Amino acid sequence: MGESNGSVDEDLLLKEFFAEVSEVERDNEVVRILSCFKLNPFEFLKLPFDSSSPEDIKKQYRKLSLMVHPDKCKHPQAKEAFGALAKAQQQLLDHQERDYILSQVTAAKEELRVKRKRQLKKDTASKLKSLVDEGKSEQEYEQSEEFQQQLKLKVRELLTEQEWRRRKMAMRISEEEGRVKKDEEEQKEMWKRKREHEEQWEGTREQRVSSWRDFMKSGKKSKKGELRPPKLKTEDPNKSYVQRPVKRG
């Protein structure tokens, strides 16, 4: 019961606080949200990468959404900013989306650590200090503003690369689906033409059978008006091409 009252009191304090927020601050927050890197919901909610619990996400969303709520903020793009925050919250509350982004954060940290080790090898003093502190200096460095800014930019780079690969893969899949669909349509058209030809052939079957019967009945009789070659006259002795009867002795 105490926790419930505490949550209500916190919400009330938030509302009272943001009721006093100036219009300029609200407008600045809208501009900040709309300038965020589109693929990183942590940036929209101004959350560090290690603050990924559902409670942290919901609390930060509630805080920022009150800043840019279209009913409270007069900025012409307040509604767009409000929607961007809602989308960011939805992405981070989806454990698969959140785990994917955090996997890119881990990869980015590893790349930055490798880069720093190379730098330390060149800087003997820093290397010795790192050995003496037994890694404490590295932990402190990763909490620094410098490292966090580098991490933010590296995460952007990796997320961009992954998105580009995803889009290229989607484009290839789309092209392949288009080719398959075209092949299917051509195949269907071929079968359609074949079926139409068969139907047409079957439709003229009776006519062909009837014509054949007529031909068989008529035999070798010539049709009326048909030209026939002249008969050879074997009795004409003056024609050299005429076959003459053979006289038998």
Side-chain angles (χ1 to χ4, degrees):
M1 189 73 174
E3 281 187 17
S4 177
N5 288 336
S7 178
V8 171
D9 291 342
E10 186 178 325
D11 289 344
L12 183 60
L13 284 173
L14 274 173
K15 289 179 180 178
E16 289 176 352
F17 171 75
F18 285 112
E20 299 173 4
V21 173
S22 70
E23 197 62 38
V24 173
E25 289 173 301
R26 293 181 186 277
D27 288 351
N28 288 342
E29 184 61 17
V30 170
V31 173
R32 183 199 70 80
I33 292 169
L34 296 181
S35 63
C36 285
F37 180 60
K38 305 298 182 185
L39 301 176
N40 187 359
F42 282 97
E43 287 192 27
F44 285 95
L45 294 178
K46 290 175 70 175
L47 278 172
F49 293 120
D50 54 1
S51 296
S52 57
S53 70
E55 293 75 19
D56 290 340
I57 295 165
K58 291 176 182 178
K59 182 178 178 180
Q60 186 69 356
Y61 167 73
R62 187 166 62 249
K63 176 182 175 181
L64 296 181
S65 63
L66 285 172
M67 281 276 286
V68 299
H69 195 287
D71 292 343
K72 304 290 184 181
C73 181
K74 297 179 181 178
H75 194 284
Q77 291 179 290
K79 185 177 181 180
E80 185 179 345
F82 185 78
L85 288 177
K87 182 180 179 182
Q89 178 188 226
Q90 182 182 9
Q91 285 180 305
L92 290 181
L93 289 178
D94 183 325
H95 69 91
Q96 288 185 338
E97 286 278 349
R98 185 175 66 252
D99 289 350
Y100 163 71
I101 294 170
L102 291 177
S103 71
Q104 300 307 306
V105 174
T106 301
K109 282 183 178 179
E110 288 302 317
E111 285 194 29
L112 292 176
R113 285 167 183 162
V114 170
K115 181 180 178 182
R116 180 161 173 80
K117 285 180 180 179
R118 289 173 181 167
Q119 290 174 340
L120 289 175
K121 285 182 180 179
K122 296 179 182 179
D123 186 348
T124 307
S126 297
K127 182 179 179 182
L128 290 173
K129 185 179 185 304
S130 177
L131 291 172
V132 171
D133 292 345
E134 295 181 352
K136 290 181 181 178
S137 62
E138 294 306 309
Q139 293 176 8
E140 291 173 359
Y141 175 70
E142 291 188 6
Q143 296 299 322
S144 68
E145 185 66 28
E146 179 187 356
F147 180 82
Q148 291 301 316
Q149 184 61 25
Q150 289 180 0
L151 179 61
K152 179 180 176 181
L153 295 176
K154 178 57 70 172
V155 169
R156 285 185 178 187
E157 180 184 326
L158 296 182
L159 287 173
T160 300
E161 289 175 359
Q162 292 297 328
E163 178 64 12
W164 175 239
R165 290 193 186 100
R166 186 193 68 77
R167 291 189 183 186
K168 285 202 297 185
M169 181 61 68
M171 184 167 36
R172 289 175 183 172
I173 291 172
S174 178
E175 289 174 352
E176 180 63 18
E177 287 176 347
R179 187 190 64 78
V180 170
K181 185 177 180 181
K182 183 180 178 183
D183 289 346
E184 288 177 351
E185 290 175 350
E186 289 178 350
Q187 192 75 6
K188 287 179 181 178
E189 184 63 25
M190 183 187 74
W191 283 109
K192 180 182 176 182
R193 290 196 300 268
K194 183 178 179 181
R195 187 169 59 252
E196 288 175 349
H197 176 73
E198 290 174 349
E199 289 174 354
Q200 185 179 5
W201 176 260
E202 187 63 26
T204 58
R205 181 174 178 277
E206 290 298 326
Q207 181 181 349
R208 296 196 311 275
V209 171
S210 177
S211 299
W212 176 253
R213 286 172 180 166
D214 291 344
F215 172 75
M216 293 301 291
K217 287 179 181 178
S218 61
K220 296 182 180 180
K221 292 181 180 179
S222 61
K223 297 181 180 178
K224 187 176 181 181
E226 182 180 357
L227 296 177
R228 301 185 66 181
K231 295 181 179 180
L232 296 177
K233 297 180 180 180
T234 56
E235 68 277 8
D236 188 349
N238 297 320
K239 302 290 185 179
S240 60
Y241 60 81
V242 174
Q243 182 181 357
R244 297 182 181 181
V246 178
K247 293 181 181 181
R248 297 178 186 268

